[in-house]
Amino acid sequence: MAELVYRPVIGAAQTMFKALDLKIECRGSEHIPRVGGAVLVSNHISYMDFIFNGLAALPQKRLVRFMAKDSVFRHKISGPLMRGMKHIPVDRRKGEAAYAHALNSLRSGEIIGVFPEATISQSFTLKSFKSGAARLAQEAGVPLIPMALWGTQRIWTKGHPRNFRRSHIPITIRVGEPLAAPADQYAGAITRRLRERMQELLEAAQRAYPVRPKGPEDTWWMPAHLGGTAPTPEAVREAEQKD
């Protein structure tokens, strides 16, 4: 079927990134299969992560269908776009329908994008992973493709204002080799291996990132263990428990 919405949205995103003069560096796109189903799994540090995940697949001429919370599909602007791009709404109270939708898409040869942390990590470190990505890959008989993003939190993330100025922000993307998800293995064990692989990719992206905070007021986007002032994972969990 013709992609009447997805490709124009890609073009608009690329135009916006050029206007912002983002410095996007992506390595590993060759690990994304040119044909057949796969589960693309990424860390989640920004509201715009799905766009950069999708860009990583373009060199292989693939379009990624993302699983996203259903409220995005109810929005008057984003809703028609998300539906037009054939992304998959997830109602957490009725997750079976979204799972079945994603499974059918994988079996028909689509690439499905998943954020196993479920929500944005305010500490900019990896949170605990849900096992849904591994179970999907197992049941569909497709590989998991791990990837990591760094720098996207500087554009638009939870708890901070959007930065859509021409600020020349670097974005670093790393895509790893496919990870098998054998049907006879425990999904939890596969998920642990996946998280370890993504931690390696995230650290590689952080090491390759070409800039550091400009001063004390610019350390908010760096995780605490790297000397930044982002909240620690423990502090984030305590705040969430209070809410």
Side-chain angles (χ1 to χ4, degrees), residues 65 91 120 236:
R65 316 299 178 180
D91 183 343
I120 288 175
V236 174

Side-chain angles (χ1 to χ4, degrees), residues 21-36:
D21 195 31
L22 300 184
K23 308 300 184 181
I24 302 173
E25 189 234 357
C26 179
R27 293 186 183 180
S29 288
E30 67 274 10
H31 297 310
I32 298 173
R34 282 190 174 271
V35 295

Side-chain angles (χ1 to χ4, degrees), residues 174-190:
R174 292 291 181 268
V175 184
E177 296 180 0
L179 179 68
D184 60 351
Q185 292 187 12
Y186 176 50
I190 297 171

Side-chain angles (χ1 to χ4, degrees), residues 1-237:
M1 293 178 63
E3 297 288 345
L4 300 179
V5 176
Y6 210 135
R7 295 193 186 282
V9 168
I10 289 172
Q14 291 174 321
T15 299
M16 180 181 73
F17 294 159
K18 186 174 182 180
L20 297 176
D21 195 31
L22 300 184
K23 308 300 184 181
I24 302 173
E25 189 234 357
C26 179
R27 293 186 183 180
S29 288
E30 67 274 10
H31 297 310
I32 298 173
R34 282 190 174 271
V35 295
V39 181
L40 187 68
V41 189
S42 172
N43 65 321
H44 200 9
I45 53 176
S46 164
Y47 290 113
M48 301 184 69
D49 288 340
F50 73 98
I51 299 177
F52 294 99
N53 293 151
L55 286 179
L58 289 184
Q60 297 295 85
K61 303 186 185 305
R62 300 303 302 271
L63 299 177
V64 184
R65 316 299 178 180
F66 288 92
M67 301 183 75
K69 58 184 180 181
D70 61 340
S71 60
V72 179
F73 291 78
R74 294 196 298 268
H75 191 276
K76 63 181 181 180
I77 296 176
S78 63
L81 293 175
M82 294 294 282
R83 289 189 292 273
M85 289 185 282
K86 306 185 185 75
H87 295 315
I88 301 171
V90 180
D91 183 343
R92 292 175 183 169
R93 297 167 299 179
K94 303 174 182 177
E96 300 85 358
Y99 185 92
H101 186 166
L103 187 58
N104 287 335
S105 296
L106 287 169
R107 287 171 171 165
S108 67
E110 296 275 14
I111 294 181
I112 299 299
V114 177
F115 297 109
E117 299 165 281
T119 58
I120 288 175
S121 170
Q122 293 178 269
S123 67
F124 308 132
T125 62
L126 293 184
K127 301 169 65 175
S128 60
F129 281 18
K130 298 184 182 302
S131 63
R135 290 187 289 108
L136 276 171
Q138 284 182 299
E139 197 165 347
V142 301
L144 293 155
I145 310 296
M147 68 179 298
L149 303 170
W150 192 245
T152 61
Q153 73 274 32
R154 299 178 65 196
I155 302 174
W156 189 14
T157 193
K158 189 173 183 179
H160 294 275
R162 290 172 290 187
N163 180 8
F164 287 161
R165 302 186 303 274
R166 188 176 173 84
S167 47
H168 322 292
I169 292 173
I171 305 295
T172 302
I173 305 171
R174 292 291 181 268
V175 184
E177 296 180 0
L179 179 68
D184 60 351
Q185 292 187 12
Y186 176 50
I190 297 171
T191 301
R192 284 193 294 273
R193 290 200 298 274
L194 175 66
R195 191 179 186 280
E196 290 169 0
R197 187 78 60 85
M198 288 174 61
Q199 180 65 39
E200 294 170 356
L201 291 169
L202 177 58
E203 291 174 3
Q206 291 167 338
R207 287 193 300 269
Y209 200 66
V211 302
R212 292 294 180 265
K214 298 176 182 177
E217 74 289 344
D218 189 42
T219 58
W220 64 268
W221 55 271
M222 288 287 282
H225 75 278
L226 292 180
T229 53
T232 64
E234 294 76 18
V236 174
R237 284 194 294 270

